[in-house]
Amino acid sequence: MTTPFTLSLFKTLRVISLLLSPLLLGSCSSIQVSQDYDATAHFNDIKTVQWLDDADQVEPKAATFAAKNPLIAKRIHQAITIELSQKGITFVDQNPTGYVTYHLETFSKKRGSQVTTSFGFGSFGRYGGFGFQTYPDGDYYDQEKLVIDLFNAEKKLIWRGISRRYIEERLAPEELPQRIQEGVKKLLEQYPPNAAKP
């Protein structure tokens, strides 16, 4: 038998679950960034750059990605060019003081951090009750990993920035440039490392 108390409790739990859902989904759409760098490198010497030659790239090569996805590669190039220019670094045709390249991968991962919540009501003999259960969601989601590498004039890796982003839905073509610019911007906000900033 359903009582007013049971109905009130059900409504309260439903409101809580609805309030938590956007927070869980929102956390999945955020960009996570990290960096690694050579603490002995002279980052202030990097004022001009060129794209790293195909032969010097490591897998997964930017050149391979660009051959398969030329439009996306073009947007990544534009975004990196814009963000580096904001830091006083420009692309040149000759005698650069550094080199830059990127890697972009998308892969599926099993969802482990989120949980699915279920509510249930039942009757146990003469007692009424409700159940509250959480369990891992068995779905998979896509994760995008963007890596930007900067090298000195001798083509020695001195800085690597990594960003990871969860992709819950496919974006419309007109949304892609904004997402790429946003990801590159947040990633390159780490450069130069704090230890190297004046």
Side-chain angles (χ1 to χ4, degrees), residues 18-163:
L18 290 173
L19 289 174
L20 288 177
S21 294
L23 294 176
L24 292 173
L25 291 175
S27 66
C28 281
S29 63
S30 63
I31 304 172
Q32 302 170 352
V33 295
S34 60
Q35 66 175 327
D36 192 12
Y37 59 92
D38 181 351
T40 65
H42 300 287
F43 294 97
N44 292 331
D45 292 344
I46 309 297
K47 297 296 184 184
T48 58
V49 293
Q50 284 183 353
W51 294 105
L52 188 68
D53 295 334
D54 295 359
D56 295 319
Q57 296 176 19
V58 297
E59 297 292 346
K61 293 186 176 185
T64 303
F65 177 84
K68 295 178 180 178
N69 306 276
L71 295 178
I72 296 176
K74 181 179 179 181
R75 294 183 179 112
I76 293 174
H77 281 208
Q78 290 173 339
I80 291 175
T81 301
I82 290 171
E83 293 305 319
L84 287 181
S85 70
Q86 298 292 324
K87 299 175 181 294
I89 301 173
T90 57
F91 280 83
V92 294
D93 295 328
Q94 300 180 49
N95 304 319
T97 55
Y99 296 86
V100 62
T101 191
Y102 71 91
H103 321 276
L104 180 65
E105 298 177 85
T106 301
F107 48 91
S108 294
K109 293 188 68 176
K110 188 173 180 63
R111 193 188 311 275
S113 58
Q114 289 190 350
V115 294
T116 300
T117 304
S118 64
F119 303 99
F121 293 87
S123 177
F124 308 97
R126 57 182 178 159
Y127 301 102
F130 69 93
F132 179 94
Q133 182 180 14
T134 61
Y135 51 90
D137 191 329
D139 291 341
Y140 285 80
Y141 62 88
D142 287 337
Q143 186 180 67
E144 178 183 86
K145 178 182 175 183
L146 174 63
V147 178
I148 296 178
D149 289 338
L150 274 95
F151 302 77
N152 62 14
E154 289 72 42
K155 297 184 179 180
K156 176 186 175 183
L157 180 64
I158 59 172
W159 183 87
R160 168 169 287 175
I162 302 172
S163 72

